[in-house]
Amino acid sequence: MAELLHRLGTFAARRAWTVIVAWAVILCVVVGGFSLGFKGLSSSFDIPGTASGDVVAELQQELPDFSGASGAVVYRTDDGAALSDDQKARISELVSSADDLPDVANVTDPFSTQAQLEAQRQQVVDGRQQLGDARVQAESGQQQLDAGTAQLDQAQQQLDAGRAQLEAAPLPDAQKQAQLDALDAQQAQLDQQRTALEQQQTQLTDGLAQIDEQEAQLDEGAELLSFADAIRLVSDDSSTAIVNVAFDKPRLELSEASKEAVVEHFTAAGVDGVDVAFNTEISQGIPEIFGVGEVVGVAVAGVVLIVVLGSLLAAAFPIVTAIVGVAIGAMATLSFSGVIQMASVTPFLGVMLGLAVGIDYALFILYRHRRQLLQGAGVVESIGLANGTAGTAVVFAGLTVIVALLALNIVGIPFLGLMGTAGAVSVLTAVLIAVTLIPALLGLAGMRILGRRARARVAHSRDTEHPRRAARTGAEPVMDATEHPRRTAHTGTASNIKPMSTLRAVTTMLVATVVLLVVAIPALSMRLGLPDGGSEAEDSTGYKAFTWTEEAFGPGANSPLLVTATLPANTAEEDVQGLQFAVARELFAQDDVNAVAPVAVSDDSTLAVFQVVPSEGPNAVSTERLVRDLRSLPPVNGDIELGVAGAAAINIDISEGLADVLPVYLVVVVGLSFLIMVAVFRSLLVPLIATAGFVLSLFATYGAVTAVFQWGWLGGLFGVHNPGPILSFLPVILVGILFGLAMDYQLFLTTGMREAWAHGAAPRLAVAQGFRAGRSVVTAAAIIMIAVFSGFITSEAVIIKTFGLGLALGVLFDAFVVRMLLMPAVMHVLGGSAWWLPHWLDRIIPNVDVEGAALERRHPAHT
């Protein structure tokens, strides 16, 4: 590897314009591919195979109108007064003309819908009054029937008494028969009247039964409506109204153009005296890629480069090449957005990493080349050697980062795998640029890569003495991570380096470990979630819509759940309401439910859909608990299965899915990288130390991020005005990126230690020599990383802000606490045992000459 990179560096230095033109062609090709292939990004995330995904699939089949994305347009008067009739009419006009917008399936007029809800409630009141009047009439009729029956009973008694007297009287037969015939006629009349009364009684009884049934139905309907009392589209004071927009495409397939069309439609013609805002389902678009914060971060990196390299020209090379690499990596990835659905954060991961590692990798090679020039090496020879030594370390460091990022594809989460792949492409581009374009630029620059005074000093040294003798003068005694301690020993500087005391090493170990563990404490309470409108910037439309809705309709209005109920087969249409009532009553009985409303039933009466409004917002603990409780309910009535979807449920599913894959991913990444480190360091304990230190810094990063974004500590400083759960995929991403970067620093520090030990230095002295050799360049590289990542903290998008802070803190903890303090102390305590490797393993592991010792022997750079 080292020999190949030496040849590549030498070729690039001698054929500089060939290499530069080749990269320019690559850039043009990528720009062309981007212009043809870029089809937009999605601001939503999803994980296939989740419970909410299954519900959405069922809705797409049975009730497609409810399977698409949805959003809300919130109107509020600017003075808090009730909306006037003219303002309502204007909003209704905008609603009626919005159905023709792209991908819009339905737009709900809040005023007509609210009027319908009020009419339904009034119908219940009127129905109760009508049934009450009917019951009064029926009861009055019953009294009349009872009186008629009593009169008939009295007449019957009189008739029976008269018949008895007549039969007992001694009358002639003819006379008696005539009187009996008269009594029979009267009896017939009484029977006829009794039959009529019985018919009336039957009718009255049936009428009362119908009233009872209607009252029962009305009671069910009234109770069903009472479940939905908290669901409103117009606030109680009529100052706020919500326009619901339903799309005919799922949220992952909904284009930004369709969302922007909705925003344009409702803002182009404003309503006088009324403000408008859009919730995040509509307003959350693609965040700004490069803002003021990012520019400041790059500027800080430039200052560090000037200090380290001592030349404006040298400092410009890493920044320019990093920007070129970012452009190539990001546009190459986005060129496939028309073929693969990509989340909006996909390119940002590449931008962050591309800038950071692009500058760092170029710095490592530049730093080595500069020091060799100061020691009297020729330009081309120095470029080749720097590329073969420092470049080899860059390749292995980049390989570690790439492995960690590509491993994101094994977690089974498409958008996360794409993010990792995009980041890996940017890192690969940075590595290729570092070992090809940087040597080409250095070849063109020649000795101008040094400052004016440094060039004069080198020229004077060449005129007066041999470069090796000049090196012994100690003009540049500090050795970088890629120079060999044996040369340091030759220059006489090794005698000035002494190992730390064992007491100091043990104290450093204990203090560093305790500090990291204390910082990690908040991670024990870390909750995962996705940002809601309350986490957006305070002046954003998403935040306004969220807070207006919460103030006017309650916090749960921002997190409605969609619950499906699978009804029994062959359910009759007249039985649907009863089943809806049974399901709604079960749902409303759950803790933390504020309202329940049936919203639709499939044509074949097999699937019913309900809207459930939680008591609190989408990221509340109670809402998360409610989703789990609803999913754990037994079938209603023994055979009605429930399913839960909606934005809040989907976000919960995503967070749980990511939490489940984190341990697996951590094991895979650490395992693969451990094998790489064993080959590079030819040791078992050094990789274990490196890994253990990474775990400490990782959990410290988790703790610090939790304290800021979830607990709200220093929230004002970092722009966190509404603490909430930690971004659900941040822990997984941090594992991949920070582990790779941590191994970069480990590599550039430990290779010097191993080289010193391999060439005869005492183990503890070798630790001191190797640390002294690499600390300057690692410090500079870490500061650059922190500066670049910190630039993203100023982003208005909470996702980008969280990434920026997490990565900046991760580098800070790992580079300065773990690699600069903890790792040298542990290596000192272990002594020579740190480099122990079983003989059988030593024989089968290939010899990876990362330090470039063999290369230096074949291609000495000094004359």
Side-chain angles (χ1 to χ4, degrees):
M1 174 66 74
E3 182 66 34
L4 176 62
L5 290 175
H6 175 272
R7 293 176 183 175
L8 183 61
T10 303
F11 171 82
R14 291 173 175 167
R15 301 287 188 272
W17 283 111
T18 301
V19 175
I20 293 173
V21 170
W23 278 108
V25 171
I26 292 173
L27 180 60
C28 291
V29 171
V30 170
V31 170
F34 172 79
S35 61
L36 294 175
F38 180 67
K39 302 300 181 183
L41 301 173
S42 171
S43 58
S44 301
F45 310 96
D46 199 5
I47 298 178
T50 60
S52 54
D54 295 339
V55 172
V56 172
E58 186 178 23
L59 286 172
Q60 286 177 330
Q61 192 171 25
E62 298 289 340
L63 289 165
D65 290 344
F66 293 90
S67 64
S70 62
V73 183
V74 185
Y75 283 98
R76 189 177 75 164
T77 55
D78 52 17
D79 58 0
L83 289 160
S84 67
D85 291 339
D86 290 340
Q87 290 169 335
K88 291 179 180 179
R90 181 61 188 135
I91 294 173
S92 295
E93 289 176 8
L94 290 171
V95 169
S96 62
S97 58
D99 287 333
D100 295 333
L101 295 175
D103 297 329
V104 170
N106 182 51
V107 184
T108 303
D109 187 321
F111 309 110
S112 61
T113 303
Q114 188 65 46
Q116 291 174 3
L117 291 173
E118 298 299 336
Q120 289 176 356
R121 294 186 173 95
Q122 186 60 45
Q123 285 175 3
V124 171
V125 175
D126 294 342
R128 288 189 186 280
Q129 182 63 43
Q130 292 172 1
L131 288 176
D133 294 342
R135 183 174 290 280
V136 170
Q137 291 177 358
E139 291 174 350
S140 175
Q142 184 66 56
Q143 291 175 357
Q144 293 175 3
L145 285 175
D146 290 342
T149 301
Q151 291 175 357
L152 286 177
D153 290 341
Q154 185 177 3
Q156 185 67 50
Q157 290 176 359
Q158 293 174 355
L159 186 61
D160 291 342
R163 184 181 294 277
Q165 291 176 0
L166 181 61
E167 290 177 349
L171 295 175
D173 292 340
Q175 185 180 355
K176 183 181 289 188
Q177 184 63 45
Q179 291 182 8
L180 286 174
D181 290 341
L183 289 176
D184 289 341
Q186 291 177 18
Q187 183 65 54
Q189 289 178 356
L190 285 177
D191 292 341
Q192 186 176 3
Q193 291 175 4
R194 188 176 295 279
T195 299
L197 284 178
E198 289 176 351
Q199 291 176 350
Q200 292 176 14
Q201 182 64 58
T202 300
Q203 292 175 355
L204 187 59
T205 301
D206 292 343
L208 285 170
Q210 289 179 358
I211 291 173
D212 291 339
E213 183 179 349
Q214 289 173 0
E215 283 183 338
Q217 292 177 351
L218 191 63
D219 288 342
E220 280 190 3
E223 189 173 358
L224 202 57
L225 280 174
S226 70
F227 296 159
D229 282 343
I231 298 178
R232 299 183 61 88
L233 294 180
V234 180
S235 61
D236 290 331
D237 61 3
S238 297
S239 66
T240 308
I242 297 178
V243 177
N244 287 322
V245 180
F247 298 93
D248 57 13
K249 289 185 178 179
R251 62 179 193 164
L252 283 178
E253 299 176 11
L254 186 63
S255 67
E256 290 301 315
S258 297
K259 298 180 184 180
E260 292 169 0
V262 172
V263 174
E264 174 67 21
H265 176 80
F266 284 98
T267 55
V271 181
D272 293 337
V274 180
D275 297 324
V276 62
F278 305 85
N279 73 348
T280 53
E281 293 294 322
I282 295 176
S283 63
Q284 192 175 62
I286 310 304
E288 187 182 57
I289 289 183
F290 216 72
V292 176
E294 290 80 0
V295 172
V296 172
V298 173
V300 172
V303 172
V304 174
L305 288 171
I306 292 173
V307 172
V308 173
L309 299 176
S311 165
L312 283 174
L313 182 63
F317 283 172
I319 294 177
V320 171
T321 55
I323 292 175
V324 171
V326 165
I328 293 174
M331 286 191 290
T333 301
L334 294 176
S335 298
F336 295 92
S337 62
V339 180
I340 303 173
Q341 186 68 44
M342 295 184 182
S344 58
V345 296
T346 301
F348 293 98
L349 185 58
V351 170
M352 286 182 184
L353 286 176
L355 279 175
V357 303
I359 293 174
D360 274 7
Y361 291 167
L363 169 63
F364 292 141
I365 295 175
L366 262 168
Y367 190 79
R368 175 63 186 260
H369 172 58
R370 175 179 177 273
R371 300 187 71 76
Q372 290 172 170
L373 289 180
L374 290 172
Q375 292 171 349
V379 172
V380 175
E381 292 81 3
S382 176
I383 293 173
L385 185 59
N387 213 47
T389 52
T392 301
V394 164
V395 169
F396 275 93
L399 178 62
T400 306
V401 180
I402 291 170
V403 167
L405 291 173
L406 289 180
L408 285 170
N409 287 278
I410 70 171
V411 301
I413 301 174
F415 80 85
L416 207 56
L418 281 175
M419 290 175 64
T421 301
V425 169
S426 292
V427 173
L428 176 61
T429 305
V431 170
L432 294 176
I433 285 179
V435 298
T436 57
L437 186 56
I438 286 294
L441 294 175
L442 293 178
L444 287 178
M447 293 299 294
R448 288 174 296 172
I449 200 68
L450 301 176
R452 194 172 294 175
R453 292 182 180 178
R455 292 201 301 270
R457 189 165 62 248
V458 171
H460 176 72
S461 298
R462 286 177 175 174
D463 291 341
T464 57
E465 54 184 330
H466 192 276
R468 291 188 181 273
R469 203 176 304 115
R472 287 195 296 271
T473 64
E476 290 290 337
V478 180
M479 180 181 65
D480 70 6
T482 57
E483 291 187 76
H484 297 304
R486 66 175 179 278
R487 186 183 304 132
T488 307
H490 292 166
T491 62
T493 59
S495 60
N496 300 326
I497 301 174
K498 296 180 180 179
M500 72 178 81
S501 67
T502 302
L503 177 61
R504 177 185 171 188
V506 173
T507 303
T508 301
M509 286 172 52
L510 293 176
V511 172
T513 302
V514 170
V515 168
L516 291 175
L517 289 175
V518 169
V519 176
I521 289 175
L524 297 174
S525 63
M526 183 171 64
R527 290 178 55 235
L528 301 181
L530 290 176
D532 55 31
S535 303
E536 298 295 320
E538 291 183 285
D539 59 349
S540 68
T541 183
Y543 178 78
K544 292 177 182 177
F546 186 91
T547 53
W548 294 354
T549 300
E550 184 175 276
E551 292 169 0
F553 304 99
N558 281 307
S559 54
L561 302 175
L562 205 62
V563 177
T564 59
T566 304
L567 304 181
N570 302 320
T571 298
E573 186 175 351
E574 58 270 17
D575 296 331
V576 169
Q577 181 175 329
L579 295 175
Q580 284 181 311
F581 175 72
V583 173
R585 173 179 281 179
E586 183 71 26
L587 295 175
F588 193 72
Q590 302 304 309
D591 294 336
D592 304 313
V593 170
N594 201 34
V596 177
V599 293
V601 179
S602 61
D603 293 336
D604 58 2
S605 299
T606 59
L607 186 68
V609 181
F610 299 82
Q611 183 183 15
V612 175
V613 178
S615 300
E616 296 187 273
N619 279 325
V621 175
S622 63
T623 303
E624 182 178 344
R625 183 174 57 246
L626 174 61
V627 171
R628 293 195 177 96
D629 290 345
L630 291 176
R631 287 173 173 166
S632 63
L633 284 175
V636 180
N637 290 348
D639 56 357
I640 301 178
E641 298 282 351
L642 301 180
V644 185
I650 292 172
N651 291 347
I652 290 170
D653 286 343
I654 292 174
S655 300
E656 289 182 346
L658 290 167
D660 291 341
V661 302
L662 178 59
V664 177
Y665 176 67
L666 184 59
V667 170
V668 171
V669 169
V670 171
L672 291 176
S673 299
F674 179 82
L675 295 178
I676 295 175
M677 287 189 291
V678 168
V680 171
F681 300 134
R682 305 196 72 77
S683 164
L684 289 180
L685 291 181
V686 171
L688 286 176
I689 296 169
T691 302
F694 162 72
V695 172
L696 279 175
S697 65
L698 177 68
F699 281 99
T701 303
Y702 287 169
V705 170
T706 301
V708 173
F709 287 95
Q710 185 174 314
W711 291 6
W713 290 8
L714 302 177
L717 178 63
F718 295 105
V720 181
H721 57 86
N722 187 20
I726 303 304
L727 183 65
S728 56
F729 49 88
L730 180 70
V732 176
I733 292 292
L734 287 182
V735 170
I737 298 175
L738 293 181
F739 188 80
L741 298 181
M743 295 310 104
D744 287 358
Y745 304 134
Q746 180 74 24
L747 181 68
F748 282 98
L749 285 172
T750 311
T751 50
M753 297 178 186
R754 174 174 175 75
E755 183 68 9
W757 174 78
H759 285 84
R764 292 176 175 175
L765 178 62
V767 170
Q769 291 178 350
F771 178 75
R772 180 73 63 88
R775 66 181 181 181
S776 298
V777 69
V778 170
T779 298
I783 293 174
I784 290 171
M785 285 270 190
I786 294 170
V788 173
F789 290 147
S790 296
F792 291 90
I793 299 176
T794 61
S795 173
E796 290 188 356
V798 66
I799 292 178
I800 307 303
K801 184 190 298 289
T802 308
F803 267 123
L805 182 62
L807 291 172
L809 290 175
V811 172
L812 175 67
F813 292 142
D814 197 89
F816 291 105
V817 180
V818 173
R819 307 304 153 190
M820 294 289 193
L821 294 175
L822 182 59
M823 190 273 296
V826 175
M827 294 286 289
H828 175 91
V829 171
L830 289 176
S833 61
W835 305 108
W836 174 77
L837 186 70
H839 293 296
W840 64 268
L841 188 58
D842 184 53
R843 289 194 299 270
I844 64 175
I845 292 179
N847 184 17
V848 182
D849 184 18
V850 177
E851 301 90 351
L855 181 68
E856 282 192 308
R857 289 192 294 269
R858 292 192 298 270
H859 304 281
H862 304 286
T863 60

